Amino acid sequence: MSDLEQLRTDLLARIGAADLDALEGLRIEALGRKGSITELMKGLGGLAAGERKAAGQALNALKAVVACAIDTRRATLECAVLESRLAEQRIDLTLPVRPLAQGRIHPISQTIEEMVAIFCQMGFSVAEGPDIEDDFHNFTALNIPPEHPARQDHDTFYFPERADGARPLLRTHTSPVQIRTMQTQPPPLRIIVPGRTYRADHDATHSPMFHQIEGLAIDETTHMGHLKGCLIEFCRAIFGLDDLPVRFRPSYFPFTEPSAEVDIGCARSADGLAIGAGGDWMEILGCGMVHPKVLENCGIDSTRYQGFAFGVGVERVAMLKYGIPDLRTFYESDLRWLRHYGFLPLDVPNVATGLGA
Ligand code: 2NL
């Protein structure tokens, strides 16, 4: 075998066995500026004229064969790499989808939504306001002057006194929002005010932060019949019982006159408590006709306008409706509890499910 044939056989064998990195090395070794074939071509000039042509043709043929073999081998290797990546990264469309981490709606949020839906269907609008209030909006405007005993009952959280002598506080009810609405919007008014409220009280049945929904309706002829109809309807809608017994019991609040507490029918037994007809009663909310002094404190003419107001504790309704036995669990942020008692985002209240069972 001639040297050239030997070189050819040797190169083709090594090309056939090379991986992509080795292949580039081989190309440089054979065809690069100092490659073996390049060097042989440089040597052609030194040959006798008679030999030069045949040797040149043989070298050109060798160069073409080697270049072609390298290109073919490279294409084969690249193709194999692509094939193996395609096989490895193939998407298996038969696999089940990964479960999406689904959040839950807190029972307090759900209960607020349901109550808001009921009152909005009756024509109320939602109003909101600040958690940090001043003495006037939380107490004085509501007919609770500084020396009034009701101030003690409220266990108010106060902030340090400011330079101007004012002492900001955390609102003890959502009524200040109604006061602000009456100060800025002329009657007729129909609003409900859901939100956080605060009292320095902490035991098995009281939390320092809790939620309320208050309502306010003011017009020229709004009377106690409207209050009763509206709240009877609310109690029946929120518990999904068309025939739920509801009674109004005289009571006292500084900001309403007359005032009443609303009880719903229930049955207490060894098994626990069931809402509905059963001979027993349970308090569910407070209400009354807005005191004329409160209207006047907000710049509303009490000889022309009158109205009713009410306040409902959200936690108590949520506990009764969803069978949550311990108030404190609402605020523990225990994810296992939330997965059990919480609601799925698409479970929005609606006429078919939200207001019913
Ligand atoms: C309760 C009692 C009540 C009101 C809240 C109110 C607000 C204004 C004027 C008059 Cl601006 N009244 N709110 C009235 C009666 C009762 O709540 O036991 N809530 C849990």
Side-chain angles (χ1 to χ4, degrees):
M1 198 190 281
S2 75
D3 289 352
L4 228 49
E5 277 171 28
Q6 183 62 57
L7 182 60
R8 175 190 151 110
T9 309
D10 181 43
L11 280 174
L12 291 183
R14 289 169 64 203
I15 288 167
D19 62 14
L20 277 167
D21 285 340
L23 198 62
E24 180 58 12
L26 277 171
R27 192 190 61 76
I28 293 163
E29 185 188 320
L31 305 172
R33 273 199 305 128
K34 295 209 168 119
S36 50
I37 296 176
T38 315
E39 290 296 335
L40 286 171
M41 285 181 138
K42 285 182 195 161
L44 284 173
L47 293 180
E51 294 169 24
R52 203 181 295 153
K53 188 176 174 198
Q57 280 175 348
L59 273 177
N60 272 334
L62 174 63
K63 182 179 171 185
V65 164
V66 168
C68 178
I70 288 173
D71 288 348
T72 308
R73 177 70 184 159
R74 176 174 289 122
T76 306
L77 288 172
E78 282 175 351
C79 193
V81 168
L82 184 64
E83 285 298 337
S84 86
R85 273 178 49 200
L86 282 173
E88 207 172 284
Q89 297 173 6
R90 185 188 301 273
I91 296 169
D92 183 351
L93 296 174
T94 67
L95 285 175
V97 292
R98 278 192 207 103
L100 273 184
Q102 275 196 98
R104 290 290 190 282
I105 302 211
H106 195 283
I108 293 293
S109 305
Q110 175 81 11
T111 306
I112 290 174
E113 286 287 308
E114 291 175 18
M115 297 206 238
V116 163
I118 293 165
F119 285 116
C120 288
Q121 284 182 334
M122 296 183 196
F124 287 81
S125 304
V126 174
E128 288 178 309
D131 291 18
I132 298 174
E133 269 294 355
D134 55 45
D135 196 89
F136 177 78
H137 292 92
N138 196 77
F139 290 123
T140 308
L142 284 149
N143 201 28
I144 312 175
E147 65 286 353
H148 198 286
R151 290 219 177 187
Q152 268 92 66
D153 302 341
H154 279 226
D155 301 310
T156 313
F157 284 112
Y158 286 98
F159 289 86
E161 196 167 300
R162 288 193 323 216
D164 62 5
R167 252 204 317 170
L169 51 85
L170 287 174
R171 65 184 184 191
T172 59
H173 41 196
T174 57
S175 316
V177 182
Q178 287 136 286
I179 297 296
R180 289 179 184 280
T181 307
M182 286 191 277
Q183 286 176 318
T184 54
Q185 291 178 40
L189 290 172
R190 280 193 201 93
I191 56 162
I192 47 164
V193 185
R196 291 185 173 165
T197 50
Y198 306 83
R199 294 188 194 183
D201 212 348
H202 202 181
D203 58 39
T205 54
H206 295 90
S207 153
M209 186 281 298
F210 57 103
H211 299 78
Q212 250 198 340
I213 294 192
E214 285 202 33
L216 176 75
I218 309 247
D219 208 337
E220 294 191 8
T221 57
T222 304
H223 55 66
M224 194 106 184
H226 297 123
L227 173 152
K228 291 184 74 179
C230 173
L231 294 179
I232 291 170
E233 187 59 32
F234 164 73
C235 290
R236 292 182 174 164
I238 194 70
F239 291 108
L241 296 169
D242 286 342
D243 54 357
L244 178 66
V246 179
R247 75 175 182 187
F248 291 74
R249 188 165 37 78
S251 185
Y252 171 78
F253 301 110
F255 28 84
T256 46
E257 183 61 36
S259 304
E261 261 150 343
V262 179
D263 298 337
I264 55 173
C266 66
R268 285 178 235 268
S269 71
D271 300 340
L273 181 103
I275 308 278
D280 294 321
W281 294 100
M282 179 166 52
E283 184 186 321
I284 192 75
L285 59 90
C287 60
M289 299 305 293
V290 180
H291 198 294
K293 278 196 192 158
V294 175
L295 296 173
E296 296 294 339
N297 289 342
C298 302
I300 293 177
D301 179 356
S302 65
T303 62
R304 181 171 167 202
Y305 290 104
Q306 54 186 27
F308 67 83
F310 56 89
V312 193
V314 177
E315 277 78 356
R316 145 164 295 223
V317 173
M319 288 169 83
L320 287 172
K321 227 189 131 158
Y322 297 115
I324 299 169
D326 184 348
L327 173 83
R328 286 167 291 200
T329 57
F330 281 125
Y331 319 106
E332 282 171 355
S333 302
D334 179 338
L335 284 180
R336 292 197 340 153
W337 180 91
L338 197 53
R339 269 179 216 118
H340 179 78
Y341 286 109
F343 295 83
L344 288 171
L346 293 177
D347 271 352
V348 288
N350 61 68
V351 183
T353 62
L355 312 182

